[in-house]
Amino acid sequence: MTDKEFDDGFFENLSQYLESIEAGKIKLSIISKDRKKDDTLEWNSEKTKIDKDVQETFLRVAKDMIKSHRDYALTKYNPAEGKRDGKIQYVALNDLPSIKNIVVSDGKADSDVFDVRKIKKREETLEYSVKIGDKLFAFDQIPKGQMLEPRKYLHFVVDSTGKFSTVDGQYILSVPSLFQCLIYEEKVIIFKTKSFEAFFDLRNEYKKQIEGAKKELSEIVDNPIRLIDLVYGDIRTTRKLYGIVVGLDPDKFKGENARKKIDSVIKDYDLKIEFDKDGKIKMGDNTSAKDVLKLLNEDTVINEITNNRFISGSKERVGTSK
């Protein structure tokens, strides 16, 4: 499926679906994760009870989100690209097994109703899932600071007349105006990229893909393990290398013509990159891992009007120069 095929009518279809939903068909589940000794995650989904007003609030947030993004274009998720105006990224649900397992469980675990006091006790951030009808799921985080504990003399609410009153004996949780992501028609639509990647532990997903691309990387750099080790220390560079290895074609960096172009880029953009006798990038002390990523990710850009050169980690491909 191309971006255009997915884009055409998607938000309109989703908007019509939301208009068909009534309060009473909305469920809320609280999601937690526990990291095991082997660094894998175990996900838990717990049921909650919500009244009609809360259901209507979640439905209104979803409707407002779709309305405000109706003119946005949808593009396939690429962590190597930064956020772009007028664009929303999506990813196939099947590509994110951790999220798919949560959707399948749907808060039906044999557990008691969620105990709100757990939010303050846990070290890791919790997530909640809102099931709207049978086809739409919305996700967002519950940071500790977003949940206010009962404090008789510190929490007040103000009505439209300006009257202040206390909130006694209840926890207060604010609902965001923008969900982290929506899942509809087997697609995950991402609205808050960083928190989405962090909560669903996509760093480990990146690493799995990168580890699986060592053979392709070894055709370009003399020591792919060193490059990977240098990159893993920063989520931004890890994200960028993941975007590079997806669909990486080592042949584009081979041959006399390719080497001439690469040498020109290295010189023009002052990249700290050296090569060994076999023509591979030498991952030694004089080579910058970040500069290698700039080269492989095509971060070097020339303005066709002014001929000025730029390093840009965020860009949108519109075609190939003839």
Side-chain angles (χ1 to χ4, degrees):
M1 179 179 289
T2 65
D3 287 1
K4 182 124 184 1
E5 288 171 342
F6 178 43
D7 194 10
D8 286 349
F10 178 82
F11 280 135
E12 182 62 32
N13 179 273
L14 180 50
S15 180
Q16 291 175 7
Y17 171 77
L18 286 169
E19 291 300 328
S20 71
I21 302 299
E22 299 177 355
K25 296 183 178 180
I26 298 173
K27 299 178 181 179
L28 174 66
S29 300
I30 304 299
I31 302 163
S32 59
K33 60 184 178 181
D34 294 301
R35 192 172 297 278
K36 297 182 179 180
K37 292 181 179 180
D38 61 358
D39 204 34
T40 60
L41 291 175
E42 181 178 71
W43 298 87
N44 303 294
S45 181
E46 300 178 76
K47 298 173 290 185
T48 69
K49 297 176 181 179
I50 54 175
D51 63 21
K52 186 176 180 180
D53 288 340
V54 174
Q55 293 185 50
E56 289 177 345
T57 298
F58 281 128
L59 182 58
R60 185 171 63 252
V61 169
K63 287 181 177 180
D64 289 346
M65 279 181 60
I66 300 306
K67 182 178 180 181
S68 63
H69 291 86
R70 186 173 301 209
D71 296 329
Y72 279 57
L74 291 160
T75 182
K76 290 181 180 179
Y77 172 69
N78 184 348
E81 296 181 356
K83 185 177 180 180
R84 301 198 301 268
D85 291 339
K87 300 280 187 179
I88 297 179
Q89 293 189 335
Y90 74 92
V91 63
L93 181 59
N94 284 334
D95 292 339
L96 298 173
S98 59
I99 300 179
K100 187 170 184 177
N101 290 338
I102 294 169
V103 171
V104 171
S105 70
D106 188 23
K108 296 177 181 177
D110 295 328
S111 63
D112 296 330
V113 175
F114 177 72
D115 183 350
V116 69
R117 291 170 295 183
K118 291 181 180 180
I119 292 180
K120 287 295 180 180
K121 293 179 180 179
R122 293 186 61 86
E123 292 184 2
E124 291 204 51
T125 302
L126 295 174
E127 188 98 352
Y128 63 81
S129 168
V130 182
K131 185 180 180 183
I132 303 175
D134 295 322
K135 299 180 180 179
L136 178 65
F137 287 82
F139 288 84
D140 206 7
Q141 289 186 346
I142 309 178
K144 288 185 180 180
Q146 197 169 309
M147 175 66 76
L148 302 180
E149 295 183 81
R151 294 179 181 178
K152 186 173 181 179
Y153 301 109
L154 296 180
H155 294 164
F156 301 91
V157 292
V158 188
D159 64 20
S160 59
T161 67
K163 179 183 177 182
F164 284 72
S165 57
T166 61
V167 179
D168 188 12
Q170 299 184 49
Y171 288 79
I172 302 174
L173 174 64
S174 61
V175 176
S177 59
L178 186 72
F179 290 122
Q180 183 188 84
C181 66
L182 298 176
I183 299 177
Y184 184 68
E185 294 184 344
E186 297 295 308
K187 296 290 188 294
V188 183
I189 315 302
I190 306 165
F191 292 89
K192 301 177 184 176
T193 304
K194 290 184 178 179
S195 63
F196 170 81
E197 292 174 338
F199 186 83
F200 291 107
D201 204 39
L202 293 197
R203 183 195 289 248
N204 277 343
E205 294 295 325
Y206 299 157
K207 288 182 177 180
K208 290 178 185 177
Q209 292 284 343
I210 292 170
E211 295 291 334
K214 283 181 181 177
K215 181 178 181 297
E216 288 78 9
L217 285 172
S218 68
E219 297 183 44
I220 301 172
V221 300
D222 71 339
N223 190 343
I225 294 177
R226 175 170 168 75
L227 173 63
I228 291 171
D229 287 343
L230 291 171
V231 163
Y232 277 177
D234 188 327
I235 180 60
R236 293 169 297 181
T237 53
T238 303
R239 186 189 295 125
K240 177 170 284 192
L241 183 55
Y242 166 83
I244 290 169
V245 301
V246 174
L248 177 63
D249 182 5
D251 290 337
K252 291 183 178 180
F253 299 88
K254 297 178 180 178
E256 186 177 344
N257 289 335
R259 178 58 188 273
K260 286 181 179 179
K261 293 178 181 179
I262 291 172
D263 287 342
S264 178
V265 169
I266 291 173
K267 179 181 178 182
D268 292 341
Y269 291 87
D270 194 26
L271 303 182
K272 295 179 180 179
I273 295 176
E274 293 184 343
F275 293 87
D276 65 12
K277 59 182 178 61
D278 296 320
K280 296 181 181 181
I281 296 173
K282 191 191 319 185
M283 292 306 304
D285 295 337
N286 295 325
T287 293
S288 164
K290 289 186 177 181
D291 282 356
V292 173
L293 296 186
K294 290 174 186 175
L295 178 68
L296 300 183
N297 196 48
E298 302 178 33
D299 287 349
T300 54
V301 181
I302 298 178
N303 184 290
E304 295 185 18
I305 299 174
T306 64
N307 286 324
N308 287 327
R309 297 185 176 89
F310 300 92
I311 296 290
S312 176
S314 177
K315 54 194 178 298
E316 178 181 2
R317 180 175 177 176
V318 295
T320 302
S321 178
K322 297 180 179 179

Short mmCIF file of all heavy atoms in Angstrom, two decimals, residues 238-262:
data_model
loop_
_atom_site.label_atom_id
_atom_site.label_comp_id
_atom_site.label_asym_id
_atom_site.label_seq_id
_atom_site.Cartn_x
_atom_site.Cartn_y
_atom_site.Cartn_z
N THR A 238 20.93 5.99 17.46
CA THR A 238 20.38 4.64 17.30
C THR A 238 19.20 4.68 16.34
O THR A 238 19.06 3.85 15.44
CB THR A 238 19.93 4.07 18.65
OG1 THR A 238 21.02 4.07 19.56
CG2 THR A 238 19.41 2.64 18.49
N ARG A 239 18.35 5.68 16.54
CA ARG A 239 17.18 5.85 15.68
C ARG A 239 17.60 6.10 14.24
O ARG A 239 17.03 5.56 13.29
CB ARG A 239 16.35 7.03 16.20
CG ARG A 239 15.02 7.23 15.47
CD ARG A 239 14.37 8.53 15.90
NE ARG A 239 13.99 8.52 17.29
CZ ARG A 239 14.37 9.43 18.17
NH1 ARG A 239 15.18 10.40 17.81
NH2 ARG A 239 13.96 9.36 19.41
N LYS A 240 18.63 6.90 14.07
CA LYS A 240 19.09 7.23 12.72
C LYS A 240 19.69 6.01 12.02
O LYS A 240 19.41 5.76 10.84
CB LYS A 240 20.11 8.37 12.76
CG LYS A 240 20.69 8.72 11.38
CD LYS A 240 21.50 10.00 11.41
CE LYS A 240 20.60 11.21 11.45
NZ LYS A 240 21.34 12.47 11.19
N LEU A 241 20.50 5.23 12.75
CA LEU A 241 21.10 4.04 12.13
C LEU A 241 20.03 3.03 11.76
O LEU A 241 20.12 2.36 10.73
CB LEU A 241 22.12 3.41 13.07
CG LEU A 241 22.89 2.20 12.51
CD1 LEU A 241 23.57 2.54 11.18
CD2 LEU A 241 23.93 1.69 13.51
N TYR A 242 19.00 2.92 12.58
CA TYR A 242 17.88 2.03 12.25
C TYR A 242 17.25 2.46 10.92
O TYR A 242 16.99 1.62 10.04
CB TYR A 242 16.83 2.07 13.35
CG TYR A 242 15.50 1.45 12.95
CD1 TYR A 242 15.30 0.08 13.02
CD2 TYR A 242 14.45 2.26 12.50
CE1 TYR A 242 14.09 -0.48 12.65
CE2 TYR A 242 13.25 1.70 12.12
CZ TYR A 242 13.07 0.33 12.19
OH TYR A 242 11.86 -0.22 11.81
N GLY A 243 17.01 3.76 10.77
CA GLY A 243 16.43 4.25 9.53
C GLY A 243 17.32 3.99 8.32
O GLY A 243 16.84 3.78 7.21
N ILE A 244 18.63 3.97 8.56
CA ILE A 244 19.60 3.73 7.47
C ILE A 244 19.58 2.27 7.04
O ILE A 244 19.56 1.97 5.84
CB ILE A 244 21.02 4.14 7.92
CG1 ILE A 244 21.11 5.67 8.05
CG2 ILE A 244 22.07 3.62 6.94
CD1 ILE A 244 22.38 6.15 8.72
N VAL A 245 19.59 1.34 8.00
CA VAL A 245 19.72 -0.08 7.65
C VAL A 245 18.46 -0.66 7.03
O VAL A 245 18.51 -1.69 6.35
CB VAL A 245 20.13 -0.93 8.88
CG1 VAL A 245 21.44 -0.44 9.45
CG2 VAL A 245 19.03 -0.96 9.94
N VAL A 246 17.31 -0.02 7.27
CA VAL A 246 16.08 -0.50 6.64
C VAL A 246 16.17 -0.22 5.14
O VAL A 246 16.13 0.92 4.70
CB VAL A 246 14.84 0.19 7.24
CG1 VAL A 246 13.58 -0.22 6.47
CG2 VAL A 246 14.69 -0.17 8.71
N GLY A 247 16.31 -1.25 4.36
CA GLY A 247 16.43 -1.09 2.91
C GLY A 247 17.80 -0.65 2.44
O GLY A 247 17.95 -0.15 1.32
N LEU A 248 18.84 -0.82 3.27
CA LEU A 248 20.19 -0.41 2.90
C LEU A 248 20.71 -1.21 1.71
O LEU A 248 20.63 -2.44 1.69
CB LEU A 248 21.13 -0.60 4.10
CG LEU A 248 22.61 -0.26 3.87
CD1 LEU A 248 22.79 1.21 3.54
CD2 LEU A 248 23.44 -0.65 5.10
N ASP A 249 21.24 -0.51 0.71
CA ASP A 249 21.83 -1.15 -0.48
C ASP A 249 23.31 -0.81 -0.54
O ASP A 249 23.69 0.27 -0.99
CB ASP A 249 21.12 -0.66 -1.74
CG ASP A 249 21.65 -1.32 -3.01
OD1 ASP A 249 22.50 -2.23 -2.88
OD2 ASP A 249 21.23 -0.93 -4.11
N PRO A 250 24.18 -1.72 -0.10
CA PRO A 250 25.62 -1.45 -0.07
C PRO A 250 26.21 -1.14 -1.44
O PRO A 250 27.22 -0.44 -1.53
CB PRO A 250 26.22 -2.75 0.50
CG PRO A 250 25.10 -3.40 1.23
CD PRO A 250 23.87 -3.05 0.46
N ASP A 251 25.59 -1.64 -2.51
CA ASP A 251 26.13 -1.44 -3.86
C ASP A 251 26.17 0.04 -4.26
O ASP A 251 26.98 0.43 -5.10
CB ASP A 251 25.30 -2.22 -4.89
CG ASP A 251 25.50 -3.72 -4.77
OD1 ASP A 251 26.55 -4.13 -4.22
OD2 ASP A 251 24.62 -4.48 -5.21
N LYS A 252 25.32 0.85 -3.63
CA LYS A 252 25.30 2.29 -3.94
C LYS A 252 26.59 2.98 -3.49
O LYS A 252 26.89 4.08 -3.95
CB LYS A 252 24.10 2.96 -3.28
CG LYS A 252 22.76 2.55 -3.88
CD LYS A 252 21.62 3.31 -3.21
CE LYS A 252 20.28 2.94 -3.84
NZ LYS A 252 19.16 3.67 -3.19
N PHE A 253 27.33 2.33 -2.61
CA PHE A 253 28.55 2.92 -2.07
C PHE A 253 29.81 2.27 -2.65
O PHE A 253 30.90 2.50 -2.16
CB PHE A 253 28.55 2.81 -0.54
CG PHE A 253 27.41 3.52 0.12
CD1 PHE A 253 26.20 2.86 0.32
CD2 PHE A 253 27.52 4.84 0.51
CE1 PHE A 253 25.13 3.52 0.92
CE2 PHE A 253 26.47 5.51 1.11
CZ PHE A 253 25.26 4.84 1.31
N LYS A 254 29.63 1.45 -3.68
CA LYS A 254 30.75 0.74 -4.27
C LYS A 254 31.04 1.26 -5.67
O LYS A 254 30.20 1.87 -6.31
CB LYS A 254 30.45 -0.77 -4.34
CG LYS A 254 30.26 -1.44 -2.99
CD LYS A 254 29.90 -2.90 -3.16
CE LYS A 254 29.70 -3.60 -1.85
NZ LYS A 254 29.32 -5.03 -2.01
N GLY A 255 32.26 0.99 -6.14
CA GLY A 255 32.64 1.37 -7.50
C GLY A 255 33.37 2.70 -7.56
O GLY A 255 33.30 3.52 -6.63
N GLU A 256 34.05 2.91 -8.66
CA GLU A 256 34.88 4.11 -8.82
C GLU A 256 34.06 5.39 -8.82
O GLU A 256 34.42 6.38 -8.19
CB GLU A 256 35.68 4.00 -10.13
CG GLU A 256 36.69 5.12 -10.33
CD GLU A 256 37.52 4.93 -11.59
OE1 GLU A 256 37.52 3.80 -12.13
OE2 GLU A 256 38.15 5.91 -12.03
N ASN A 257 32.92 5.39 -9.54
CA ASN A 257 32.10 6.59 -9.62
C ASN A 257 31.52 6.96 -8.25
O ASN A 257 31.49 8.13 -7.86
CB ASN A 257 30.97 6.40 -10.62
CG ASN A 257 31.45 6.38 -12.05
OD1 ASN A 257 32.50 6.95 -12.37
ND2 ASN A 257 30.70 5.73 -12.94
N ALA A 258 31.06 5.94 -7.52
CA ALA A 258 30.50 6.18 -6.19
C ALA A 258 31.56 6.73 -5.26
O ALA A 258 31.31 7.68 -4.50
CB ALA A 258 29.91 4.89 -5.63
N ARG A 259 32.78 6.20 -5.35
CA ARG A 259 33.86 6.65 -4.48
C ARG A 259 34.23 8.11 -4.76
O ARG A 259 34.50 8.88 -3.83
CB ARG A 259 35.08 5.74 -4.65
CG ARG A 259 36.28 6.15 -3.81
CD ARG A 259 35.93 6.19 -2.30
NE ARG A 259 37.01 6.75 -1.54
CZ ARG A 259 38.03 6.03 -1.07
NH1 ARG A 259 38.10 4.71 -1.29
NH2 ARG A 259 38.97 6.61 -0.37
N LYS A 260 34.23 8.50 -6.03
CA LYS A 260 34.53 9.90 -6.37
C LYS A 260 33.50 10.84 -5.74
O LYS A 260 33.85 11.90 -5.20
CB LYS A 260 34.55 10.08 -7.88
CG LYS A 260 35.78 9.48 -8.56
CD LYS A 260 35.71 9.72 -10.06
CE LYS A 260 36.95 9.14 -10.76
NZ LYS A 260 36.90 9.34 -12.24
N LYS A 261 32.24 10.45 -5.82
CA LYS A 261 31.18 11.29 -5.24
C LYS A 261 31.30 11.34 -3.72
O LYS A 261 31.12 12.40 -3.11
CB LYS A 261 29.81 10.73 -5.64
CG LYS A 261 29.51 10.85 -7.13
CD LYS A 261 28.15 10.23 -7.45
CE LYS A 261 27.87 10.32 -8.95
NZ LYS A 261 26.56 9.69 -9.30
N ILE A 262 31.61 10.20 -3.12
CA ILE A 262 31.76 10.15 -1.67
C ILE A 262 32.94 11.02 -1.21
O ILE A 262 32.82 11.79 -0.25
CB ILE A 262 31.97 8.70 -1.20
CG1 ILE A 262 30.67 7.90 -1.39
CG2 ILE A 262 32.41 8.65 0.27
CD1 ILE A 262 30.82 6.42 -1.15
#
